[in-house]
Amino acid sequence: MGCGHKDDKASLASSQIASFSHQPHQSPSTPASKEVWKKGGRMFSILLAVHLALLACTLVSSGAFEKIAVHDYDVFFLLTVMMLIVIIWIIFYLVGTSRCPDAILCKDSHAGPIWLRGGLILFAIFSLVMDVFKIGYYSSFYSCLSAIKIIYPIVQAIFVVVQTYFLWISAKDCVHIHLNVTRCGLMLTLTTNLAVWMSAVTDESVHKAHSKLKKNVTEEIFRWLLKVGMRSSSAEECNCNSQICQIFKNGYFWLYPFNIEYSLFASAMVYVMWKNVGRFIDHHSHHIHRLKFRLFRRTFFVGIVLGLIILVSGLGVLILYEVQVNSSTESSKKSQALTMYYIFNIVCLGLMSLVCIGGSVIYRFDKRDMDRHKNPTRTLDVALLMGAALGQYAISYYSIVAIVASTPRDAISALNLTYALLMIAQHTFQNIFIIEGLHRQPPKEDHKHDSHQKDLYGLTFVNINAVSLRVPDSGSTLAPSTASGTEAIHLSDLVRSLTTPKKMNWRRKFLREISMFLLLSNIILWIMPAFGARPQFDNDTELNFYGDSMWPAIVDICLPFGIFYRMHAVASLLEVYIMS
């Protein structure tokens, strides 16, 4: 695992690399053949990822149906092998880059921000708890199950730990050794995360269908749901009668949303690393902004208070919805729960749409310049926001068509129609607001002070009178003690910079309030569908219009993208808040 076999740009002469390290303001000239092979290496890794993703998608989707001769342990075997290969490659990467001094010549300051890595660790912790519950559940009747079902969560737990450590310390790397191997390894890691995501989404959807099977008594729905079956149907054949077994079973299904979000967060960070392989960053034009995150300073608390009110109210609505819809068979209570759910979401989405419009108007008066530098992280953020929103767009448009074309129309249908229209509007306006915020330069006052002013700001105590007494009244500058050509500091600017606090204008304050309100509102809109509040399955309008097979399939495919959109919007809004 030496450094001698370097491909692509790493095969440049050591003198060129050394000159680059000593001259960071100059972008090294790369021959045209090297650039062509760089694209060829990327294309090879993409093709590898596409084939593996199609294979995993085929097995996962086939394993979800009972009549297809693909069993759940076949899917677990493939995922286990993929995770083991990724673990080996990550160890190879960490050891190889630590031994080679020229492995990482520069880092991307925009990649892997601290709040994104912190969210990754949070989801990783819940994913580990889910794996513990899975191990406990399958160990309860290991004698009648395949061994791979116990091995899979163990390997997945190791995979989560190793990958989280890898992304925490290496998310900003711009690697310059073993480029093609690194590209293929990163694409394999990305594909593995997507395969685990597809497996979790399918398992959760089948579990929801199996839960509805126990509640419905009609023979037609019973046969249809039986045809779908649980992918872990072999586990269902074993008896899980003990209380601890039931706790493990229900616990790991409740933790699936965190594992789903972990896989998507990890995939996004791995993709940015893949884009940065072999990349040279010109530090002269690549500005590094070290912004301090102050949550309870420079704010009116209006956005935080309103957001917390929405968050707490949403949690109450979620609890009542779960109790009245899932625990009661009376149609009147089901209608009340749906009405309460739609009214809350209509109010929340309406406020969020108005706030996003107000934020976009404030941006028209913002004097900050647009950031037009190359930024793979920001490009990915925008692409994920636009792409993930398509899932909720699809559900909303399907609902609009079903409601308008169906008869008769009742109050719930009117609320559902309003909810679908506001969902489309809110996603659109929020995307516009977030994208504008991500493309704005940080405030100039954070980096406009010269070196002399920075030295003065570093003092713990400054005696203004002592400074002013040392400066003659007739002189307007503070002359340097040496004869060097350093710049003089105007006394008026010096005193003003020391005595006048840095003020935040009203535009920035309003933008921070808007960002915090939207952040908290998106959290509750992520929690509600992620933990069971899904009126798409409980409202009969779309189900009767599209049928028992088409509508659940539409929701199962599109809803995970809508859930991911909310969590990714939270991360993006946090960045907008800090940049404001």
Side-chain angles (χ1 to χ4, degrees):
M1 196 184 301
C3 305
H5 296 82
K6 300 179 183 180
D7 53 356
D8 205 357
K9 287 183 180 177
S11 62
L12 293 173
S14 58
S15 60
Q16 293 179 341
I17 297 177
S19 64
F20 170 75
S21 61
H22 291 296
Q23 298 177 1
H25 299 296
Q26 296 180 2
S27 178
S29 59
T30 305
S33 60
K34 296 291 182 182
E35 185 66 25
V36 171
W37 177 237
K38 171 185 175 181
K39 296 179 180 179
R42 283 186 175 181
M43 183 60 63
F44 180 78
S45 61
I46 290 174
L47 289 175
L48 175 65
V50 168
H51 286 289
L52 287 175
L54 290 176
L55 175 61
C57 183
T58 303
L59 282 178
V60 170
S61 58
S62 300
F65 295 93
E66 197 174 55
K67 287 189 174 182
I68 300 178
V70 175
H71 301 284
D72 50 356
Y73 48 79
D74 296 327
V75 179
F76 290 149
F77 179 77
L78 174 67
L79 296 178
T80 302
V81 171
M82 293 177 68
M83 287 188 292
L84 288 174
I85 296 175
V86 171
I87 292 172
I88 295 173
W89 175 80
I90 289 177
I91 296 174
F92 168 83
Y93 175 91
L94 294 175
V95 174
T97 53
S98 63
R99 290 184 176 181
C100 299
D102 297 330
I104 302 171
L105 298 177
C106 51
K107 290 180 177 287
D108 184 2
S109 61
H110 298 289
I114 186 64
W115 55 87
L116 185 61
R117 289 180 289 166
L120 185 75
I121 290 180
L122 177 65
F123 291 133
I125 292 173
F126 284 106
S127 297
L128 291 176
V129 176
M130 184 201 72
D131 290 325
V132 171
F133 280 15
K134 270 189 176 182
I135 296 171
Y137 171 61
Y138 289 128
S139 299
S140 301
F141 36 82
Y142 65 92
S143 58
C144 63
L145 287 178
S146 174
I148 192 65
K149 286 198 170 183
I150 301 177
I151 296 175
Y152 172 73
I154 296 175
V155 174
Q156 187 179 25
I158 299 173
F159 171 74
V160 168
V161 172
V162 174
Q163 181 178 245
T164 304
Y165 173 77
F166 164 68
L167 292 176
W168 178 266
I169 66 173
S170 305
K172 299 177 180 293
D173 291 354
C174 297
V175 187
H176 290 85
I177 63 166
H178 309 294
L179 296 192
N180 292 326
V181 175
T182 303
R183 290 190 182 107
C184 292
L186 289 172
M187 271 298 169
L188 176 61
T189 307
L190 189 150
T191 307
T192 303
N193 281 284
L194 292 180
V196 172
W197 170 75
M198 286 187 289
S199 174
V201 169
T202 305
D203 205 1
E204 186 189 27
S205 300
V206 172
H207 174 70
K208 294 290 183 183
H210 190 270
S211 299
K212 292 180 72 69
L213 174 65
K214 298 177 181 178
K215 293 168 55 179
N216 292 282
V217 295
T218 61
E219 188 66 23
E220 182 181 355
I221 298 180
F222 181 86
R223 286 197 303 266
W224 173 77
L225 289 173
L226 185 62
K227 202 180 301 180
V228 175
M230 281 196 69
R231 194 176 53 161
S232 55
S233 55
S234 57
E236 292 298 307
E237 297 174 359
C238 304
N239 294 325
C240 183
N241 299 325
S242 62
Q243 185 177 3
I244 188 67
C245 180
Q246 290 293 331
I247 293 175
F248 283 143
K249 178 182 177 182
N250 296 327
Y252 86 79
F253 275 113
W254 275 99
L255 292 172
Y256 258 132
F258 297 102
N259 181 246
I260 290 171
E261 297 301 329
Y262 172 82
S263 299
L264 293 175
F265 266 53
S267 299
M269 296 178 69
V270 170
Y271 173 78
V272 175
M273 287 188 64
W274 178 80
K275 290 286 290 184
N276 283 331
V277 172
R279 180 185 176 195
F280 289 98
I281 296 179
D282 188 356
H283 296 279
H284 183 66
S285 61
H286 191 77
H287 302 288
I288 300 177
H289 307 290
R290 289 181 170 85
L291 302 177
K292 296 182 178 180
F293 178 59
R294 299 182 176 94
L295 182 61
F296 298 111
R297 292 182 61 183
R298 301 181 179 183
T299 180
F300 295 129
F301 294 98
V302 177
I304 297 176
V305 172
L306 290 179
L308 288 175
I309 292 174
I310 293 291
L311 181 62
V312 174
S313 302
L315 291 175
V317 170
L318 174 62
I319 295 172
L320 293 175
Y321 183 91
E322 288 291 326
V323 171
Q324 294 186 5
V325 172
N326 296 332
S327 302
S328 177
T329 57
E330 298 180 13
S331 58
S332 59
K333 290 188 176 181
K334 179 180 176 180
S335 299
Q336 291 176 1
L338 287 172
T339 302
M340 175 184 60
Y341 179 89
Y342 283 131
I343 290 176
F344 170 79
N345 278 271
I346 287 171
V347 173
C348 182
L349 293 173
L351 287 175
M352 293 174 70
S353 300
L354 293 176
V355 165
C356 289
I357 294 173
S360 299
V361 172
I362 293 176
Y363 275 130
R364 303 280 75 80
F365 299 95
D366 197 352
K367 298 180 181 180
R368 287 181 294 168
D369 297 331
M370 300 294 289
D371 187 0
R372 306 184 186 279
H373 294 96
K374 182 180 178 181
N375 189 341
T377 304
R378 183 177 59 209
T379 303
L380 179 63
D381 287 338
V382 174
L384 290 177
L385 284 172
M386 301 298 291
L390 296 178
Q392 192 59 57
Y393 284 155
I395 295 177
S396 298
Y397 281 117
Y398 274 109
S399 297
I400 292 171
V401 171
I403 296 168
V404 173
S406 299
T407 54
R409 302 183 182 91
D410 52 5
I412 293 182
S413 297
L415 291 174
N416 192 8
L417 179 61
T418 307
Y419 167 75
L421 292 173
L422 280 176
M423 187 67 75
I424 296 173
Q426 191 272 329
H427 276 72
T428 303
F429 294 137
Q430 182 170 266
N431 282 346
I432 294 174
F433 173 77
I434 293 176
I435 292 172
E436 282 202 85
L438 292 177
H439 283 82
R440 295 285 174 170
Q441 290 276 10
K444 292 182 179 180
E445 66 184 28
D446 288 338
H447 51 78
K448 68 182 181 180
H449 306 289
D450 57 21
S451 59
H452 299 291
Q453 290 171 318
K454 287 181 181 178
D455 294 337
L456 290 172
Y457 278 125
L459 298 176
T460 306
F461 300 100
V462 178
N463 190 338
I464 303 300
N465 294 327
V467 174
S468 59
L469 287 174
R470 287 180 173 86
V471 181
D473 294 337
S474 59
S476 59
T477 60
L478 189 66
S481 58
T482 62
S484 61
T486 56
E487 296 181 357
I489 304 175
H490 290 277
L491 174 62
S492 58
D493 295 339
L494 172 63
V495 176
R496 188 184 301 113
S497 64
L498 292 172
T499 58
T500 305
K502 293 184 287 185
K503 296 182 179 179
M504 179 186 296
N505 56 42
W506 65 271
R507 291 184 294 270
R508 289 182 57 196
K509 290 182 179 179
F510 275 106
L511 289 174
R512 291 168 76 92
E513 300 292 339
I514 290 171
S515 300
M516 186 54 62
F517 172 75
L518 292 175
L519 188 150
L520 294 172
S521 300
N522 276 279
I523 289 177
I524 188 59
L525 292 180
W526 170 76
I527 291 175
M528 296 182 79
F531 292 93
R534 301 181 179 182
Q536 298 87 359
F537 291 113
D538 302 313
N539 195 344
D540 297 332
T541 303
E542 294 92 337
L543 194 63
N544 295 333
F545 186 80
Y546 292 110
D548 295 338
S549 299
M550 181 178 176
W551 179 243
I554 293 172
V555 176
D556 287 339
I557 294 173
C558 298
L559 190 60
F561 292 96
I563 295 174
F564 170 70
Y565 171 85
R566 293 298 177 187
M567 186 49 60
H568 189 70
V570 169
S572 300
L573 285 166
L574 185 58
E575 185 173 359
V576 172
Y577 177 88
I578 296 175
M579 296 287 286
S580 298

